[in-house]
Amino acid sequence: AGFVLSSNGTGTPIWANPNVFLPAVANGLNTTVDPTKVEIGGPLVRNTTINQSTFNLNLGGNGDAGIISINNNTGSATAVTNIGTGTTTAAVNIGSTAGNQTTTITAGGSGTLSLNDQTGNPTATNIGTGTTTGAINIGGGTGGQNITLKSGGTAGTFVAINDNVGTQITKIGTGNTTGDIKIGGAAAGGQNVVIQSGAAASSLDLNAGLSNQVTNMGTGSTSVDINIGGGASGQNVKIRSGANPSALYFNDNITTGKTNIGTGTTTGDVTIGGSGIQIISVGTGAAPKTVNIGSANTTSITTISSGIGGGSLLLNDGVSSPVNVATGASTGTVTLGGTGNQTIGIGNNALGAK
């Protein structure tokens, strides 16, 4: 078995071993299964290139169920697998738009999976930049992995998320995660953290949701200032509470920190209260306190007014504490009453005509 009938053309044919007259096979070919057949599947003995010229080279056909493995080796840690690493400028495609197949690129063990890990070329790395409408997921496995997005080491480089000109929404931590969301670090680099809205008619919202999460700013151990507003463009700064029965609190804490409003070098008006019907309370808490209204500097003017058309100005109304007017060291004139027609009552509502 395994012999072939051979003749030199003049003598009687004889049965002969095909290895006697067939050329030796090597470099990816073998005859180990059947000496009469040359098959693919032998070791390479030299560098080998298959030039496809203008023809297509396909591995696998329609309906094939077998596995195609490239560099499926378990014995050498130095065997490198290169795909499209030459000088070709054509696209390198992995995966197809048909068939609904899953495409997985995995690093083994403690290895690293690098995309466009190049040391000189300014080529861009694109993920999901085509016409696909499917979700793009990075991370989210059950292995507890860290996910890090970094810019390059050169000054001026940056990390851009949804840096687009369309109307797409950018969401960070909007799923069902209960973990903290942190922007900025505690490193000694002294980086600035800037959160900006877009151009005209856009807005920057913090915790603009419908649930009851708390929004904290500067509630940690930092001891530096927290500034809201103060730019050079003349913007309005509005801090509002929600709808009834919510409230807006300033320094509503148990510490001894001061609450200052308009105490800097600003020369603009400080207004408390608006055009709606309101009750404005100053110093009405339960603890003993000193309430100062007005300034003792130079020619400051302090005016306390009631409304018109039935309004009234009440000082110490219904409280048994003394009411003092200019009882200190002031040497200024104390005047009650003005130039208009008035009724001034002093003591037990006694009426005295002016």
Side-chain angles (χ1 to χ4, degrees):
F3 282 72
V4 297
L5 192 63
S6 175
S7 173
N8 60 6
T10 59
T12 303
I14 62 173
W15 293 100
N17 190 325
N19 291 335
V20 175
F21 54 87
L22 290 177
V25 295
N27 202 38
L29 303 176
N30 77 84
T31 59
T32 58
V33 177
D34 187 347
T36 64
K37 298 179 181 179
V38 178
E39 298 179 340
I40 297 176
L44 294 180
V45 295
R46 65 183 64 87
N47 294 333
T48 302
T49 301
I50 299 177
N51 293 319
Q52 78 273 24
S53 185
T54 58
F55 301 97
N56 296 330
L57 176 62
N58 297 318
L59 299 177
N62 187 22
D64 293 343
I67 298 175
I68 298 177
S69 300
I70 300 176
N71 197 10
N72 186 26
N73 203 330
T74 58
S76 175
T78 59
V80 179
T81 302
N82 296 322
I83 300 176
T85 56
T87 58
T88 177
T89 57
V92 178
N93 298 320
I94 299 176
S96 172
T97 58
N100 297 324
Q101 83 272 32
T102 300
T103 303
T104 303
I105 302 176
T106 307
S110 59
T112 302
L113 176 60
S114 300
L115 300 178
N116 198 12
D117 187 22
Q118 186 60 269
T119 57
N121 296 330
T123 53
T125 302
N126 297 325
I127 300 176
T129 55
T131 58
T132 176
T133 58
I136 299 174
N137 299 319
I138 300 177
T142 58
Q145 76 275 33
N146 294 325
I147 301 174
T148 303
L149 298 179
K150 296 181 180 180
S151 62
T154 305
T157 58
F158 56 87
V159 177
I161 300 177
N162 198 12
D163 185 23
N164 208 327
V165 295
T167 58
Q168 297 88 344
I169 297 175
T170 302
K171 296 181 178 181
I172 300 177
T174 56
N176 54 10
T177 175
T178 57
D180 294 342
I181 300 174
K182 297 180 180 180
I183 300 176
Q191 79 273 33
N192 294 323
V193 179
V194 179
I195 302 176
Q196 295 175 318
S197 62
S202 61
S203 61
L204 174 62
D205 297 327
L206 300 179
N207 198 11
L210 301 177
S211 55
N212 57 355
Q213 297 94 341
V214 177
T215 303
N216 296 323
M217 299 178 63
T219 56
S221 57
T222 177
S223 57
V224 296
D225 295 342
I226 300 173
N227 298 319
I228 300 176
S233 58
Q235 79 275 29
N236 294 324
V237 180
K238 298 180 180 180
I239 302 177
R240 299 175 178 176
S241 63
N244 188 49
S246 62
L248 177 62
Y249 295 96
F250 289 92
N251 199 13
D252 183 37
N253 209 324
I254 58 175
T255 62
T256 57
K258 295 181 179 180
T259 302
N260 297 324
I261 301 177
T263 57
T265 58
T266 176
T267 58
D269 294 342
V270 178
T271 302
I272 300 176
S275 58
I277 299 175
Q278 299 167 306
I279 297 176
I280 300 176
S281 301
V282 179
T284 57
K289 55 183 61 68
T290 300
V291 179
N292 297 319
I293 299 177
S295 172
N297 294 331
T298 61
T299 58
S300 298
I301 298 175
T302 302
T303 301
I304 302 176
S305 303
S306 65
I308 60 175
S312 60
L313 176 62
L314 305 176
L315 299 180
N316 202 12
D317 181 47
V319 183
S320 58
S321 301
V323 177
N324 299 321
V325 178
T327 57
S330 172
T331 59
T333 302
V334 178
T335 302
L336 296 176
T339 59
N341 294 326
Q342 298 170 311
T343 299
I344 300 176
I346 300 177
N348 195 25
N349 271 336
L351 299 179
K354 180 189 172 201

